[in-house]
Amino acid sequence: MGSSRRFAPALGAGLVLLAASRDLGAQDGVEGRAAVAIGEPLADLSFLDVRTQRRRLSDLGPRRAIVLFFVDCSCPMVGRVMPKVVRLATECAAQSREHGGVEFVAVNVGRSDSLRDIGTQAIAFAAPFHFVKDEFLRAVDALGIER
């Protein structure tokens, strides 16, 4: 990915590679939203995990990078892309254990998707990464993601 790309859209799904940090480094974004470019500092975003626990990006520990993959349970593109993301996450984990790691997180943005739906999706794909819900779309707005 080039450094000038903010995200790679794929209909209902997109990948965002971001440096893990607690400080927000926002730029002007789409329709008045903030946008964070790849490698810029990021706010310590908060999500709800499939066990109903509030999680923050800082809970992942120090990482070289975090890949946020925006999903929804009814998007057919997610179903086609998810096996590739799972494979990439597995490869990155194997290659980067000693280098601080690259963490993948599936961020659900489906308005009607329940935590049960999200957990079922994670199990169906045997995903080796966290699935969380951006219940009020705060991360979407903070990152300037278009749906």
Side-chain angles (χ1 to χ4, degrees), residues 25-40:
Q27 299 174 354
D28 291 337
V30 180
E31 298 176 18
R33 293 188 203 156
V36 179
I38 293 171
E40 282 190 30

Side-chain angles (χ1 to χ4, degrees), residues 39-93:
E40 282 190 30
L42 178 64
D44 193 16
L45 301 171
S46 174
F47 305 98
L48 194 62
D49 74 9
V50 295
R51 294 177 187 91
T52 70
Q53 299 297 311
R54 178 72 43 203
R55 302 289 179 205
R56 302 185 86 58
L57 289 180
S58 61
D59 294 341
L60 301 173
R63 300 283 181 215
R64 276 189 14 210
I66 298 173
V67 177
L68 300 176
F69 180 64
F70 291 85
V71 302
D72 125 357
C73 291
S74 61
C75 178
M77 184 59 122
V78 171
R80 288 191 295 271
V81 173
M82 187 64 79
K84 294 176 185 174
V85 174
V86 168
R87 189 170 47 252
L88 181 63
T90 303
E91 290 171 9
C92 283

Side-chain angles (χ1 to χ4, degrees), residues 79-142:
R80 288 191 295 271
V81 173
M82 187 64 79
K84 294 176 185 174
V85 174
V86 168
R87 189 170 47 252
L88 181 63
T90 303
E91 290 171 9
C92 283
Q95 294 174 3
S96 66
R97 289 195 206 292
E98 67 278 357
H99 302 301
V102 175
E103 185 77 35
F104 283 67
V105 179
V107 180
N108 182 284
V109 294
R111 296 182 198 278
S112 62
D113 293 347
S114 70
L115 293 176
R116 182 181 200 138
D117 296 334
I118 297 166
T120 300
Q121 185 180 45
I123 291 168
F125 288 107
F129 45 82
H130 301 281
F131 274 66
V132 296
K133 176 85 173 171
D134 186 9
E135 62 204 316
F136 302 111
L137 304 180
R138 291 183 180 137
V140 167
D141 288 340

